[in-house]
Amino acid sequence: MEPGRLRHRVVVEQSSRAGDAMGQAIETWTTFATVWGDIQPLRGRDFIAAQASNSEVTTKVIIRYLAGISPKWRLKYGAQVYQILEMINPGMKNVSLEFMCKETPQSAT
């Protein structure tokens, strides 16, 4: 992994459910970690390959390996939120993690 490519400050957020005053369950997001990452919008050949496995994938995010992350969580870069669709540990070497993501509307934060 080339350290110079990890130039984006990515926030890994975990989901939790809590009850509001009326007893309704609401989903809240809290920061699990803030890490350096590489955000790559998919285009051309990469986009076609991603489409074969999941038609919603629009972005690939790469970070250094970090234990404990769940694919049910999400990633943020600035105001942009990325829903994790697939999480890959290349070669099972625990060196990096690749996330195949879908951008979510900015109002969903």
Side-chain angles (χ1 to χ4, degrees):
M1 174 183 299
E2 298 173 41
R5 294 185 62 168
L6 305 179
R7 63 185 179 280
H8 302 101
R9 246 0 221 168
V10 177
V11 178
V12 180
E13 293 186 326
Q14 60 186 16
S15 172
S16 61
R17 295 217 180 263
D20 64 9
M22 302 296 290
Q24 299 289 327
I26 56 171
E27 183 174 44
T28 59
W29 294 93
T30 57
T31 300
F32 176 76
T34 301
V35 297
W36 290 103
D38 182 21
I39 299 174
Q40 304 173 359
L42 298 182
R43 59 188 185 280
R45 193 174 17 199
D46 293 333
F47 186 74
I48 292 168
Q51 291 272 339
S53 64
N54 192 324
S55 62
E56 296 179 307
V57 172
T58 59
T59 308
K60 178 164 68 169
V61 179
I62 302 170
I63 66 170
R64 286 188 179 91
Y65 180 80
L66 181 63
I69 296 178
S70 168
K72 296 178 183 176
W73 297 354
R74 71 182 188 181
L75 306 174
K76 279 183 77 176
Y77 173 65
Q80 184 59 57
V81 176
Y82 298 95
Q83 176 187 352
I84 298 171
L85 301 175
E86 294 181 43
M87 186 171 82
I88 303 162
N89 180 354
M92 301 302 289
K93 295 180 180 179
N94 295 348
V95 173
S96 65
L97 291 174
E98 296 181 3
F99 300 96
M100 302 307 283
C101 300
K102 171 180 136 179
E103 292 181 42
T104 60
Q106 305 234 357
S107 61
T109 58

